[in-house]
Amino acid sequence: MYRSRLIPVLLIQNDYIVKTINFQDPNYVGEPVNIVKLFNDKQADELVLFDINAFYDGKINYDLLNDIAVNARMPLCYGGGIKSLKTVEKIFMAGLERVSIGKTLFNNKKIISEIANKFGSQSCVATLCIDKDKNNKYYIEYENHIIYENEIKNLILELIDLGVGEILINCVHKDGTQKGYDEMLIEKIYKYTSIPLTVTGGASSIENILDIEKKFPIMGLGVGSLFIYKGKKKAVLVNYPENIREK
């Protein structure tokens, strides 16, 4: 039976793992290698890593990526500071399998084709950070530009034509809230995305995960806070569900 992938999504800042709410006010979680080892033990399907510092200054800590890759026993995807094919090559040399291209794709869409042609489509993920305004309109903001729903659809179709292997939707308005996935947004994108799709932001419970999996089969479900925190006081306790579909 096919099933969705459950993917811990980890944020790196200053070489530590942090958690945010709506990508604001990072809260320290722990050492990256230690947390990766814990997810090894939990047999996570894969991991996605986003480096907040690299996103802004373009400086990637390849030594840290190598340490993470050496200790990981699952596929790894990295995003942050990727501006050229040369950068992608160095990330793969560090031992990671896939890269996530975010804001760079708005200025250099051809990097998608370059990665796909050299390493294969499966190695390239396009990450779109989608937010929601006060009028409940979905949008992406980059470098003081804003694109809305119809343009988002056209962008995704263009990225598919360029050879991207997966689309990752990062729900900014849901990040860290644990109030449930944005089903309306998933429905809008799921129906016209012909390649693997992953959505992250808002996972509230195991029941929420199972419900989304049932409604939108064979999709990646990114999870942050739910796999990092425990209880109302949000004590740090790295976890990953066992035999989730037997519940």
Side-chain angles (χ1 to χ4, degrees):
M1 177 181 177
Y2 292 104
R3 65 178 180 83
S4 298
R5 294 163 293 136
L6 296 184
I7 308 167
V9 178
L10 305 177
L11 301 180
I12 301 173
Q13 185 177 56
N14 300 325
D15 298 339
Y16 295 107
I17 300 299
V18 299
K19 268 305 300 162
T20 57
I21 296 179
N22 304 133
F23 294 100
Q24 301 292 323
D25 303 320
N27 183 46
Y28 171 83
V29 172
E31 298 278 351
V33 172
N34 291 338
I35 291 175
V36 167
K37 288 180 177 178
L38 289 171
F39 280 119
N40 281 340
D41 295 338
K42 304 291 185 180
Q43 299 183 328
D45 291 333
E46 60 185 277
L47 290 180
V48 172
L49 307 163
F50 291 119
D51 190 318
I52 296 173
N53 296 110
F55 178 83
Y56 290 106
D57 62 25
K59 297 178 181 179
I60 299 173
N61 187 338
Y62 295 102
D63 289 335
L64 177 61
L65 293 186
N66 183 73
D67 288 342
I68 291 172
V70 166
N71 286 279
R73 296 200 298 269
M74 76 287 284
L76 298 172
C77 177
Y78 169 84
I82 301 173
K83 298 179 180 179
S84 68
L85 190 62
K86 184 177 180 180
T87 303
V88 173
E89 291 174 340
K90 292 178 70 175
I91 292 170
F92 288 157
M93 287 178 64
L96 287 84
E97 292 83 3
R98 300 198 297 162
V99 292
S100 165
I101 308 300
K103 68 176 184 178
T104 295
L105 64 83
F106 292 100
N107 300 314
N108 180 23
K109 290 190 181 72
K110 70 177 183 179
I111 193 174
I112 299 295
S113 297
E114 291 174 347
I115 297 170
N117 290 336
K118 184 160 187 177
F119 301 105
S121 293
Q122 78 289 338
S123 67
C124 185
V125 178
T127 294
L128 304 179
C129 293
I130 299 181
D131 209 340
K132 196 175 186 181
D133 67 17
K134 61 183 180 180
N135 296 316
N136 291 322
K137 298 292 185 181
Y138 296 109
Y139 69 94
I140 298 173
E141 183 175 5
Y142 68 99
E143 297 180 355
N144 297 319
H145 293 81
I146 295 178
I147 64 174
Y148 284 96
E149 291 180 25
N150 287 337
E151 293 175 278
I152 292 173
K153 176 182 178 179
N154 293 335
L155 172 62
I156 290 175
L157 295 176
E158 181 181 5
L159 293 171
I160 293 172
D161 287 340
L162 287 169
V164 74
E166 180 172 350
I167 301 293
L168 192 157
I169 302 300
N170 214 339
C171 296
V172 176
H173 56 290
K174 287 285 190 173
D175 172 65
T177 63
Q178 293 187 254
K179 293 183 178 180
Y181 289 100
D182 189 330
E183 293 188 37
M184 185 179 295
L185 177 59
I186 295 174
E187 186 172 3
K188 286 176 179 288
I189 295 173
Y190 184 85
K191 60 187 177 183
Y192 61 76
T193 304
S194 58
I195 61 174
L197 172 67
T198 293
V199 175
T200 186
S204 60
S205 64
I206 299 302
E207 289 72 24
N208 181 217
I209 291 172
L210 291 172
D211 183 54
I212 294 296
E213 181 182 56
K214 183 178 180 180
K215 292 177 180 176
F216 307 98
I218 320 175
M219 186 176 73
L221 297 175
V223 183
S225 296
L226 186 64
F227 288 172
I228 294 292
Y229 294 132
K230 188 73 173 180
K232 293 182 179 180
K233 294 185 178 180
K234 292 190 174 182
V236 175
L237 180 63
V238 174
N239 65 98
Y240 189 85
E242 296 181 7
N243 302 319
I244 180 174
R245 291 161 188 87
E246 294 179 5
K247 294 182 179 299

